[in-house]
Coordinates of all heavy atoms in Angstrom, one line a residue:
P361 N 65.6 33.2 100.4 CA 64.1 33.2 100.0 C 63.2 32.8 101.1 O 62.1 33.3 101.2 CB 64.1 32.2 98.8 CG 65.4 31.4 99.0 CD 66.4 32.3 99.6
E362 N 63.7 31.9 102.0 CA 62.8 31.5 103.2 C 62.5 32.7 104.1 O 61.3 32.9 104.5 CB 63.5 30.4 104.0 CG 63.7 29.1 103.2 CD 65.0 29.1 102.5 OE1 65.7 30.2 102.3 OE2 65.4 28.0 102.0
I363 N 63.5 33.6 104.3 CA 63.2 34.8 105.1 C 62.3 35.8 104.4 O 61.4 36.3 105.0 CB 64.6 35.4 105.5 CG1 65.4 34.5 106.3 CG2 64.4 36.7 106.2 CD1 66.8 35.0 106.6
A364 N 62.6 36.0 103.1 CA 61.8 37.0 102.3 C 60.4 36.5 102.2 O 59.4 37.3 102.4 CB 62.4 37.1 101.0
A365 N 60.2 35.2 102.0 CA 58.8 34.7 101.9 C 58.0 34.8 103.2 O 56.9 35.1 103.3 CB 58.8 33.3 101.3
T366 N 58.7 34.4 104.3 CA 58.1 34.5 105.6 C 57.7 35.9 106.0 O 56.6 36.2 106.5 CB 59.1 34.0 106.7 OG1 59.4 32.6 106.4 CG2 58.5 34.1 108.1
L367 N 58.5 36.9 105.7 CA 58.2 38.3 105.9 C 57.0 38.7 105.1 O 56.1 39.4 105.5 CB 59.4 39.2 105.7 CG 60.6 39.0 106.6 CD1 61.8 39.9 106.1 CD2 60.2 39.4 108.0
A368 N 57.0 38.3 103.8 CA 55.9 38.7 102.9 C 54.6 38.0 103.3 O 53.5 38.6 103.1 CB 56.3 38.3 101.5
A369 N 54.6 36.8 103.9 CA 53.4 36.1 104.3 C 52.7 36.8 105.4 O 51.5 36.6 105.5 CB 53.8 34.7 104.6
Q370 N 53.4 37.5 106.3 CA 52.8 38.2 107.4 C 51.9 37.3 108.3 O 50.8 37.7 108.6 CB 52.1 39.4 106.9 CG 52.9 40.4 106.2 CD 52.2 41.6 105.8 OE1 51.0 41.6 105.5 NE2 52.8 42.8 105.7
G371 N 52.4 36.1 108.5 CA 51.6 35.2 109.4 C 50.6 34.3 108.7 O 50.0 33.4 109.4
R372 N 50.3 34.5 107.4 CA 49.3 33.8 106.7 C 49.6 32.4 106.4 O 48.8 31.6 106.0 CB 48.9 34.5 105.5 CG 48.2 35.9 105.7 CD 48.0 36.6 104.4 NE 49.3 37.0 103.8 CZ 49.4 37.4 102.6 NH1 48.4 37.5 101.7 NH2 50.6 37.8 102.2
A373 N 50.9 32.0 106.6 CA 51.4 30.6 106.3 C 51.2 29.7 107.5 O 51.6 28.5 107.5 CB 52.8 30.6 105.8
Q374 N 50.7 30.3 108.6 CA 50.5 29.5 109.9 C 49.7 28.2 109.6 O 48.6 28.3 109.1 CB 49.8 30.3 110.9 CG 49.7 29.7 112.3 CD 51.0 29.7 113.1 OE1 51.8 30.7 112.9 NE2 51.3 28.7 113.9
G375 N 50.3 27.1 109.9 CA 49.5 25.8 109.6 C 49.6 25.4 108.2 O 49.0 24.3 107.8
G376 N 50.3 26.1 107.3 CA 50.4 25.7 105.9 C 51.6 24.9 105.5 O 52.1 24.2 106.3
T377 N 52.0 25.1 104.3 CA 53.1 24.3 103.7 C 54.1 25.2 103.0 O 53.8 26.2 102.4 CB 52.6 23.2 102.7 OG1 51.6 22.4 103.4 CG2 53.7 22.4 102.2
A378 N 55.4 24.9 103.2 CA 56.5 25.6 102.5 C 57.0 24.6 101.4 O 57.2 23.4 101.7 CB 57.6 26.0 103.5
Y379 N 57.3 25.2 100.2 CA 57.9 24.4 99.1 C 59.2 25.0 98.8 O 59.4 26.2 98.5 CB 56.9 24.5 97.9 CG 55.6 23.8 98.1 CD1 54.5 24.5 98.7 CD2 55.4 22.4 97.9 CE1 53.3 23.9 98.9 CE2 54.2 21.8 98.1 CZ 53.2 22.5 98.6 OH 52.0 21.9 98.9
L380 N 60.2 24.2 98.8 CA 61.6 24.6 98.5 C 62.1 23.7 97.4 O 62.1 22.4 97.5 CB 62.5 24.4 99.7 CG 62.0 25.0 101.0 CD1 62.9 24.6 102.2 CD2 61.9 26.5 101.0
N381 N 62.6 24.3 96.3 CA 63.3 23.4 95.3 C 64.6 22.9 95.8 O 65.0 21.8 95.3 CB 63.5 24.2 94.0 CG 64.5 25.3 94.2 OD1 64.4 26.2 95.0 ND2 65.6 25.2 93.4
L382 N 65.2 23.6 96.7 CA 66.5 23.1 97.3 C 66.5 23.3 98.8 O 66.0 24.3 99.3 CB 67.6 24.0 96.7 CG 69.1 23.8 97.2 CD1 69.6 22.4 96.6 CD2 70.0 24.9 96.7
E383 N 67.0 22.3 99.5 CA 67.1 22.3 100.9 C 67.7 23.6 101.4 O 68.7 24.1 100.8 CB 67.9 21.1 101.5 CG 68.0 21.1 103.0 CD 68.9 20.0 103.5 OE1 69.5 19.2 102.7 OE2 69.0 19.8 104.7
T384 N 67.2 24.2 102.4 CA 67.7 25.5 103.0 C 69.1 25.4 103.3 O 69.6 24.4 103.9 CB 66.9 25.8 104.2 OG1 65.5 26.0 103.9 CG2 67.4 27.1 104.8
G385 N 69.9 26.4 102.9 CA 71.4 26.4 103.1 C 72.1 27.4 102.3 O 73.1 27.0 101.6
D386 N 71.6 28.6 102.2 CA 72.3 29.6 101.4 C 73.6 30.0 101.9 O 74.6 30.2 101.1 CB 71.4 30.8 101.3 CG 72.1 32.0 100.6 OD1 72.6 31.8 99.5 OD2 72.1 33.1 101.2
C387 N 73.8 30.0 103.2 CA 75.1 30.5 103.8 C 75.5 29.5 104.9 O 74.8 29.4 105.9 CB 75.0 31.9 104.3 SG 76.5 32.5 105.0
H388 N 76.6 28.8 104.7 CA 77.1 27.9 105.7 C 77.5 28.7 107.0 O 78.2 29.7 106.9 CB 78.3 27.1 105.2 CG 78.8 26.2 106.2 ND1 80.1 26.4 106.9 CD2 78.3 25.0 106.8 CE1 80.3 25.4 107.7 NE2 79.2 24.6 107.7
G389 N 77.1 28.2 108.1 CA 77.4 28.9 109.4 C 76.3 29.8 109.9 O 76.4 30.4 110.9
D390 N 75.2 29.9 109.1 CA 74.1 30.7 109.5 C 72.8 29.9 109.4 O 72.5 29.2 108.4 CB 74.0 31.9 108.5 CG 72.9 32.9 108.9 OD1 71.7 32.7 108.5 OD2 73.2 33.9 109.6
T391 N 71.9 30.1 110.4 CA 70.7 29.3 110.5 C 69.4 30.1 110.4 O 68.3 29.6 110.7 CB 70.7 28.4 111.7 OG1 70.7 29.3 112.9 CG2 71.9 27.5 111.8
S392 N 69.6 31.4 110.1 CA 68.4 32.3 110.1 C 67.3 31.9 109.1 O 66.1 32.1 109.4 CB 68.9 33.7 109.8 OG 69.5 33.8 108.6
A393 N 67.7 31.3 108.0 CA 66.6 30.8 107.1 C 65.8 29.7 107.6 O 64.6 29.6 107.4 CB 67.3 30.5 105.7
I394 N 66.5 28.8 108.3 CA 65.8 27.7 109.0 C 64.9 28.2 110.1 O 63.7 27.8 110.2 CB 66.8 26.7 109.6 CG1 67.7 26.1 108.5 CG2 66.1 25.5 110.3 CD1 68.9 25.3 109.0
Q395 N 65.4 29.1 110.8 CA 64.5 29.7 111.9 C 63.3 30.4 111.3 O 62.2 30.4 111.9 CB 65.4 30.7 112.7 CG 66.5 30.1 113.5 CD 66.0 29.3 114.7 OE1 64.8 29.2 114.9 NE2 66.9 28.7 115.5
A396 N 63.5 31.1 110.1 CA 62.4 31.8 109.5 C 61.3 30.8 109.1 O 60.1 31.1 109.3 CB 62.9 32.5 108.3
L397 N 61.7 29.6 108.6 CA 60.6 28.6 108.3 C 59.9 28.2 109.5 O 58.7 28.0 109.5 CB 61.3 27.4 107.6 CG 61.7 27.5 106.1 CD1 62.4 26.3 105.6 CD2 60.4 27.8 105.3
I398 N 60.6 27.9 110.6 CA 60.0 27.5 111.8 C 59.1 28.6 112.4 O 57.9 28.3 112.8 CB 61.1 27.1 112.8 CG1 61.9 25.8 112.3 CG2 60.4 26.8 114.2 CD1 63.1 25.5 113.2
S399 N 59.6 29.8 112.3 CA 58.7 30.9 112.9 C 57.5 31.2 112.0 O 56.6 31.8 112.5 CB 59.6 32.1 113.0 OG 60.0 32.6 111.8

Side-chain angles (χ1 to χ4, degrees):
E362 296 87 348
I363 297 175
T366 297
L367 292 173
Q370 297 181 333
R372 291 172 294 166
Q374 186 79 30
T377 302
Y379 295 89
L380 311 173
N381 67 299
L382 180 68
E383 179 184 4
T384 299
D386 170 51
C387 182
H388 179 251
D390 184 273
T391 61
S392 55
I394 302 173
Q395 295 287 3
L397 281 177
I398 295 171
S399 66

